[in-house]
Amino acid sequence: MALLEVKNLSLSIGGFPILGDVDLSVEAGEVLGVIGESGSGKSMTALSIMQLLPTGSVAGGSIRLEGREVLGLPDREMRAIRGQAVGMVFQEPMTALNPVKTIGDQVAETAMVHGGMGREAALKVARETLDRVELPADRFPLDRYPHELSGGQRQRVVIAMAIAMRPKLLIADEPTTALDVTTQAQILKLLQRLVDEDGMGLIFITHDLGVVAGIADKVAIMRQGEVVEAGATVALFRNLQHPYSKALFEASSHVPPRIPPTDTSGTPVLSVDAVVREYPLPRRNLFGKRPVLRAVDGVTLAIGRGENVGLVGESGCGKSTLARAIMSLEPIQGGHIAIAGEGLDPRHGASFETRRKMQVVFQDPYGSFNPRHRVDRLVSEPFHLLGAAAPQGAEREKRVTRALEEVGLTAADAHKYVHEFSGGQRQRIAIARALIIEPDLIILDEAVSALDVSVRAQVLDLLADLSDRLQISYLFISHDLAVVRSITDRVLVMKAGKIVEEGPTEEVFRAPKHPYTQELLAATPNLELALSERERTGR
Amino acid sequence: MPSYILGRIVSLVLSLIAASIVIFLVLEVVPGDPAQFMLGLNATPDAVATLRQTLGLDGPLLERYFSWIFGLLQGDFGVSYTYRVPVAGMIADRIWISIPLAIYALVLSTLIAFPVGILAAVKRNSVTDTSIMGLTQIGVAVPNFWFAMLLVLLFAVTLRWFSAGGFAGWQDPLMALKSLTLPAVALALPQASILARVMRSSLLDTLGEDYIRSARAKGLSQGQTLWRHALRNALIPVLTIIGLQFSFLLAGAIIIENVFFLPGLGRMVFQGITSRDLIVVKSVVMLLVFAVIVVTFLVDVAYALVDPRLRRATR
């Protein structure tokens, strides 16, 4: 008898079909990877198992936990299962913990609800559980609050909450997506250890094929609320059947065709020389000197015309701060920045003249537009940088249309609002907005990180094509090393405000010199490596 | 935590100093000479000058400011121009009506608003929620003095449960509370309406947070999730409003005090202004500012008690 057996699970919310005929099964000590793009129904499948669905949900089919039907159980009985027999870990560790309660209390709560034990005993369980997730007592006493911990440490607390009662099944919904690669590697190792130690079943939901191949014994690929393909990890990936799975597989390792620039000597489009950006920190005492945080510490880099340069590093390393300094959105405290040979005033920032030579595309395709403006107004916004030379009337419309067509949209889209577009389309609009005044440099700050793999492949193709045709240079900032490898000519690795390694992308990736780069690359999930490792060990 | 409180105290003292300077200067420049006003239109310039000297109105600005401040620090608020009695005594008589009234109204408002706001949030979009929202809308819209008159008509004139106005004195605490009840209710209901709406929306925001889902995944019931996780997080905006409301209730009860013939601070300021008794105005305003700043400080401390993230020295 399987630990968990989901059969013909269907779900509709407010009359809209969300899931149809989902079949899954997990054995004890087994890891099932569920992959799919956003909206494919992976999270809703997980919430169906927990019976934590939004109001207005109607589920059908069967979910059996150790042979017992849980679908349709009253909430009172479900509560005894949640946290006891089935634990769940969510994606966003920064918000998954109650900010006003100590980590000890939050982990102990699971034990108090289920173990029928008092606070004292429950806190003892909490201590043991935190030790198990490698948060030792000397550095992580029970009275710590969530805001005192990093993202990875918080995710460990969330995992501790879920496994305090040693559940038979753990559901982890994108548990590492919000984390840096090195942290992700540690959390994956921890989850694997817990599965091995407790013989627990694990459902691991992710959109990352490399991650899933590393941890999952078997895989289910979901699309539009259905499982399109499922099977043992190696066998499945080595012999994909469904066209969608194949497309997903290809998109995940997609390398856009590029013609790298042959001559990048000329005046660099961007030159950054020993730039320092400091933030004042709160005073430690009333009269002492204010301490400062050096977010960018003497960074030097140059980008030639048509060149694509990657900037990689983990969160907090200063890469976005550097981007804001280059765009002169923030003052710098030392060094020099020049755009196409023209220096920026360190205090007053760039003139319109200089600003029009650079544009930016940010990560969030939802938050970076004013929802009350139509696309034509959004896209033509940078025209104000041209002052009196800005095109008017029919010429303006023509330029908007051209920019939209460059990114694969149509003239008719100019009169729509952003909410009418998907995430990928919105990112195209953001690129159109950056393109419209024909800048020399576009800064792409995690510009494809929020996109699904297939959409990401399309946007990468678009970016490569634009760079080749229009000789635009990119500063491509990302924590995703695979993406940086696919699109950039040169790469810089940043750590704690400093560039620790730089060189031609392929060279750096093939033979990293700095230990930090080596560490980053080793931690990066790699589908092919994970599969051959599985074949070698026969797992 | 101690450094956070120290920081708040420093800010409290600085605010008080700034407020005292502003109050002093504003009352210096307002038209109307108290000496002239006291002596009437027919007074000779000599007599006015003599009186100005006795009242200490002719010294240099700085000297007068400091003597006022040092007086305040020793509890000497000066002597009322009109009544020729120490202002401190006048305030002492009235403060024992105004402060209890404000606290009474605030307690009532909180006792009404919390359950009502929580109920509306939990039963979101139900008939209960809609009715509560409708009632609070009316509560916000109706002016409190009009509401006060309705209360008088119903409970004093028709039912004769309460007296229509006046204050019985604290010799009999029960009677005193009874005479403050109608005014407190009149003050509290509009405030409760606002507070209930804030409570509802804050709680709804909190109930949508990820950690609420985490708590449910641990096996907590909806009620447990609400009490153990949602409520405390929802309190921050509510505390802000409570702080603002207390300040308003202290200083803003003038009309209600008039409706119920309560000899409170509000009425005293009002009379002080009409008779150019500037020393009374100055002292009472300073006192109210002091109360408001102290309440703000207490609210800041309450924030830190509720939210551990604020317990650092600077925010």
Side-chain angles (χ1 to χ4, degrees):
Chain A
M1 180 178 60
L3 171 62
L4 178 80
E5 187 86 52
V6 176
K7 276 229 176 309
N8 304 329
L9 175 67
S10 67
L11 173 72
S12 67
I13 301 177
F16 285 97
I18 304 291
L19 300 174
D21 277 348
V22 173
D23 288 349
L24 297 171
S25 77
V26 188
E27 305 286 338
E30 187 182 56
V31 182
L32 166 70
V34 178
I35 39 180
E37 300 189 294
S38 44
S40 61
K42 16 185 227 311
S43 293
M44 280 303 161
T45 306
L47 292 176
S48 302
I49 299 169
M50 293 297 277
Q51 294 280 293
L52 282 176
L53 292 162
T55 42
S57 306
V58 181
S62 143
I63 299 173
R64 284 179 177 274
L65 188 68
E66 295 188 295
R68 180 187 179 201
E69 180 63 50
V70 296
L71 200 63
L73 275 188
D75 192 58
R76 192 171 40 81
E77 285 176 52
M78 252 343 273
R79 288 203 309 263
I81 293 176
R82 289 183 207 126
Q84 168 84 283
V86 187
M88 183 154 180
V89 176
F90 299 95
Q91 171 171 358
E92 205 25 270
M94 299 315 266
T95 53
L97 292 170
N98 185 342
V100 307
K101 288 191 160 231
T102 62
I103 58 172
D105 277 338
Q106 296 193 55
V107 178
E109 196 172 29
T110 313
M112 281 165 81
V113 170
H114 295 289
M117 48 181 90
R119 200 179 126 86
E120 202 85 340
L123 282 174
K124 225 178 119 219
V125 172
R127 184 65 267 160
E128 285 160 16
T129 316
L130 286 171
D131 288 338
R132 285 193 75 202
V133 297
E134 293 148 30
L135 296 175
D138 52 335
R139 284 175 54 220
F140 303 96
L142 293 176
D143 57 4
R144 285 284 201 111
Y145 283 97
H147 71 267
E148 298 170 304
L149 308 181
S150 72
Q153 291 160 353
R154 288 188 210 193
Q155 196 63 305
R156 286 173 190 270
V157 177
V158 175
I159 292 172
M161 270 163 39
I163 62 148
M165 300 309 291
R166 302 195 180 229
K168 301 197 173 69
L169 175 69
L170 181 66
I171 305 174
D173 187 357
E174 304 259 10
T176 59
T177 306
L179 304 174
D180 285 321
V181 279
T182 48
T183 319
Q184 165 169 284
Q186 292 160 8
I187 296 287
L188 290 173
K189 221 162 105 191
L190 168 68
L191 286 173
Q192 186 69 61
R193 203 197 82 211
L194 294 172
V195 167
D196 294 344
E197 280 177 9
D198 291 2
M200 176 175 76
L202 173 64
I203 299 181
F204 193 98
I205 297 172
T206 181
H207 65 279
D208 189 323
L209 275 63
V211 169
V212 99
I215 194 165
D217 305 311
K218 59 185 194 187
V219 172
I221 302 176
M222 287 191 73
R223 183 202 185 193
Q224 293 173 359
E226 286 173 12
V227 175
V228 295
E229 199 162 350
T233 305
V234 178
L236 179 99
F237 278 113
R238 288 295 183 225
N239 187 19
L240 287 168
Q241 296 296 320
H242 196 280
Y244 175 74
S245 325
K246 286 181 188 167
L248 198 67
F249 183 78
E250 273 156 30
S252 73
S253 52
H254 178 75
V255 177
R258 275 209 71 217
I259 316 159
T262 43
D263 177 27
T264 53
S265 50
T267 314
V269 168
L270 169 71
S271 89
V272 171
D273 186 26
V275 161
V276 173
R277 171 75 179 114
E278 289 174 338
Y279 291 103
L281 292 175
R283 265 176 239 280
R284 297 240 171 72
N285 62 62
L286 208 52
F287 302 103
K289 204 166 158 261
R290 244 185 136 148
V292 291
L293 171 80
R294 250 185 197 208
V296 176
D297 190 359
V299 167
T300 299
L301 67 97
I303 301 179
R305 185 160 298 276
E307 202 182 14
N308 291 356
V309 174
L311 180 63
V312 298
E314 298 190 292
S315 48
C317 76
K319 45 191 201 309
S320 288
T321 308
L322 177 63
R324 285 198 298 273
I326 293 170
M327 289 182 286
S328 71
L329 294 176
E330 284 184 16
I332 53 174
Q333 281 71 40
H336 183 76
I337 297 173
I339 309 291
E342 277 171 61
L344 302 184
D345 184 325
R347 260 192 232 152
H348 303 108
S351 61
F352 276 14
E353 195 71 30
T354 319
R355 274 181 203 268
R356 81 177 59 146
K357 292 182 181 148
M358 53 178 168
Q359 286 292 306
V360 64
V361 177
F362 290 107
Q363 170 171 6
D364 185 357
Y366 296 92
S368 51
F369 294 104
N370 184 333
R372 284 171 191 82
H373 291 179
R374 288 178 204 276
V375 166
D376 51 354
R377 180 161 174 196
L378 293 170
V379 169
S380 61
E381 223 156 14
F383 277 147
H384 81 276
L385 293 172
L386 302 181
Q392 300 297 331
E395 172 62 18
R396 198 180 174 96
E397 260 174 54
K398 228 173 82 191
R399 293 272 295 267
V400 170
T401 306
R402 202 170 73 203
L404 288 176
E405 282 169 355
E406 296 267 29
V407 299
L409 298 169
T410 64
D413 291 329
H415 303 293
K416 295 185 185 161
Y417 289 99
V418 279
H419 69 257
E420 298 171 62
F421 296 90
S422 68
Q425 286 173 320
R426 287 180 210 212
Q427 214 57 336
R428 284 167 191 268
I429 297 171
I431 296 168
R433 172 167 67 180
L435 276 181
I436 198 159
I437 52 168
E438 295 162 3
D440 297 326
L441 170 72
I442 297 183
I443 297 173
L444 300 156
D445 190 356
E446 302 277 6
V448 297
S449 304
L451 304 177
D452 280 323
V453 278
S454 57
V455 182
R456 186 172 73 195
Q458 291 165 16
V459 172
L460 286 175
D461 277 343
L462 167 70
L463 287 172
D465 171 57
L466 291 171
S467 163
D468 289 348
R469 273 195 300 126
L470 308 173
Q471 285 293 293
I472 300 174
S473 311
Y474 296 139
L475 176 60
F476 197 98
I477 299 174
S478 182
H479 68 278
D480 188 330
L481 278 78
V483 171
V484 169
R485 186 173 193 171
S486 72
I487 195 168
T488 61
D489 309 316
R490 260 188 321 123
V491 67
L492 298 109
V493 183
M494 194 165 179
K495 189 194 181 192
K498 289 193 167 95
I499 304 289
V500 296
E501 180 162 3
E502 80 168 288
T505 305
E506 268 316 303
E507 234 169 73
V508 172
F509 275 73
R510 213 172 305 124
K513 290 191 188 69
H514 194 276
Y516 179 66
T517 319
Q518 291 165 358
E519 192 190 329
L520 272 187
L521 282 168
T524 304
N526 184 311
L527 179 55
E528 198 44 54
L529 279 180
L531 288 179
S532 26
E533 173 72 13
R534 279 187 179 276
E535 280 166 337
R536 201 173 54 78
T537 57
R539 273 191 73 173
Chain B
M1 188 80 179
S3 60
Y4 170 81
I5 290 185
L6 192 72
R8 294 289 95 202
I9 289 177
V10 170
S11 136
L12 175 142
V13 171
L14 291 179
S15 316
L16 277 178
I17 295 175
S20 70
I21 294 175
V22 171
I23 291 167
F24 182 78
L25 289 180
V26 166
L27 290 178
E28 278 300 312
V29 298
V30 290
D33 180 353
Q36 182 82 55
F37 201 87
M38 285 163 76
L39 292 173
L41 286 175
N42 299 327
T44 62
D46 277 355
V48 173
T50 320
L51 184 58
R52 283 178 65 85
Q53 204 178 358
T54 2
L55 292 175
L57 291 175
D58 56 348
L61 203 62
L62 222 59
E63 193 187 301
R64 276 184 292 133
Y65 172 74
F66 280 111
S67 73
W68 175 54
I69 291 294
F70 284 121
L72 284 186
L73 289 179
Q74 292 158 19
D76 173 11
F77 289 65
V79 175
S80 160
Y81 303 151
T82 328
Y83 299 104
R84 316 298 301 172
V85 291
V87 179
M90 294 168 66
I91 289 176
D93 290 344
R94 287 162 173 81
I95 208 163
W96 292 112
I97 295 175
S98 287
I99 288 185
L101 178 61
I103 292 175
Y104 194 175
L106 195 74
V107 169
L108 277 183
S109 140
T110 314
L111 285 181
I112 299 168
F114 272 48
V116 167
I118 293 169
L119 186 68
V122 173
K123 306 250 173 204
R124 183 185 190 177
N125 294 337
S126 68
V127 182
T128 319
D129 181 25
T130 321
S131 335
I132 289 176
M133 283 299 100
L135 282 176
T136 56
Q137 188 74 60
I138 296 172
V140 173
V142 170
N144 57 15
F145 62 86
W146 186 75
F147 190 66
M149 289 191 287
L150 290 188
L151 286 178
V152 170
L153 278 178
L154 179 63
F155 291 104
V157 179
T158 312
L159 295 173
R160 297 185 175 274
W161 290 356
F162 293 92
S163 63
F167 183 66
W170 283 104
Q171 299 82 359
D172 182 353
L174 268 181
M175 282 307 290
L177 274 183
K178 200 176 162 194
S179 45
L180 289 181
T181 298
L182 285 188
V185 171
L187 282 170
L189 280 178
Q191 307 289 337
S193 302
I194 298 171
L195 204 58
R197 295 177 81 89
V198 174
M199 185 79 214
R200 173 184 181 268
S201 70
S202 173
L203 197 55
L204 280 181
D205 284 347
T206 314
L207 286 173
E209 293 283 351
D210 285 353
Y211 52 79
I212 298 299
R213 192 181 52 182
S214 303
R216 294 280 286 148
K218 275 196 256 183
L220 267 67
S221 69
Q222 248 155 354
Q224 288 170 320
T225 314
L226 180 78
W227 291 111
R228 296 191 195 168
H229 293 275
L231 214 49
R232 202 164 139 197
N233 279 288
L235 270 183
I236 288 272
V238 176
L239 282 175
T240 311
I241 301 294
I242 291 182
L244 291 175
Q245 291 193 338
F246 186 73
S247 314
F248 169 81
L249 290 172
L250 253 191
I254 298 182
I255 300 176
I256 290 294
E257 284 177 5
N258 270 315
V259 171
F260 289 98
F261 308 108
L262 290 176
L265 284 177
R267 288 187 88 195
M268 189 166 108
V269 179
F270 182 69
Q271 286 158 358
I273 293 171
T274 48
S275 60
R276 286 293 177 278
D277 201 344
L278 292 189
I279 189 120
V280 169
V281 177
K282 200 156 66 174
S283 307
V284 176
V285 171
M286 192 62 216
L287 195 74
L288 291 177
V289 167
F290 178 75
V292 168
I293 289 175
V294 168
V295 168
T296 312
F297 168 77
L298 292 177
V299 169
D300 281 344
V301 173
Y303 283 163
L305 288 177
V306 169
D307 193 337
R309 286 167 295 184
L310 299 176
R311 286 175 208 167
R312 277 166 290 170
T314 40
R315 285 194 272 171

